[in-house]
Amino acid sequence: AAAPAAAPPLTAAPAPPPVATVLTVNEAIRRVVAEGDAAWRRAAEKNGYVYRGVDAARPTLRREPSDLFDPATYGSADAARWFRDLDARVGLVVEGHVGLVRDGHLAVPDAAAAAAWGPASSVWPLGETHYAWSPDFAVFWPAAAAPAATALRVDEGLADCVRLGHEVLFVCESFVAVPLPLEGPFRAGLARARD
């Protein structure tokens, strides 16, 4: 019998370049209040902010392609395969969330952990937002095996995720990123806007 054909190499399709528009702190507050995901905002304001490494000194409005299928992200083809497998599992089980992994971004409620990927910035999804996290594991990668989609909490329990310090996978059209050094004025302005 002939040996099975080798699997094609894992390569990432070229992604469109990210788009980042610089905002003032007040503009960032206005965007988050007017367009931000209400559940995300409530969880962050009560339990702590969620961060990504973002190379920006000022608040920005960001539209970025996901890089989770790119082997260069984690320096590992295994990681890219793992996220593809997770995407297939989530897409088959969680109806309406097929693009959650494929189009998603990771964030964590620990600014120091986010800073491993660049200067820490709190992230604020705008428009329709979906997210997933697991109470069973703190980070998506590295992991021993892709979790069953049923082990993920999708669009629920974000406050628990933040309290536990677990990574969250989110997808949205765009998000506001606020650098950690500007978090004080942003927090104060967001609190005033809430009152």
Side-chain angles (χ1 to χ4, degrees):
L10 183 65
T11 58
V19 176
T21 304
V22 175
L23 304 171
T24 66
V25 170
N26 287 335
E27 289 169 333
I29 293 165
R30 280 193 293 273
R31 294 299 291 260
V32 168
V33 168
E35 303 168 48
D37 182 75
W40 188 284
R41 185 174 161 200
R42 279 191 306 274
E45 289 178 326
K46 284 186 168 187
N47 301 289
Y49 287 6
V50 179
Y51 301 90
R52 283 180 56 80
V54 175
D55 190 15
R58 298 200 29 220
T60 49
L61 172 62
R62 308 186 76 81
R63 287 180 181 81
E64 299 179 352
S66 177
D67 60 1
L68 296 175
F69 289 1
D70 184 348
T73 300
Y74 285 95
S76 165
D78 289 341
R81 274 190 211 88
W82 188 91
F83 281 106
R84 286 180 190 275
D85 183 48
L86 180 63
D87 183 65
R89 290 170 186 240
V90 170
L92 291 173
V93 176
V94 184
E95 188 177 329
H97 301 286
V98 174
L100 190 56
V101 180
R102 162 178 331 137
D103 297 327
H105 300 285
L106 292 174
V108 63
D110 178 353
W117 295 90
S121 290
S122 61
V123 292
W124 301 88
L126 302 181
E128 183 178 357
T129 301
H130 298 286
Y131 57 88
W133 68 284
S134 174
D136 300 327
F137 55 88
V139 297
F140 282 85
W141 180 264
T150 55
L152 295 176
R153 293 184 65 187
V154 178
D155 293 343
E156 65 178 53
L158 185 60
D160 294 332
C161 174
V162 173
R163 271 194 303 276
L164 290 169
H166 287 202
E167 205 168 47
V168 60
L169 173 67
F170 70 97
V171 64
C172 57
E173 181 181 322
S174 61
F175 62 92
V176 170
V178 180
L180 195 57
L182 297 175
E183 192 170 282
F186 180 79
R187 276 183 191 268
L190 202 55
R192 280 192 305 275
R194 184 180 63 232
D195 296 337

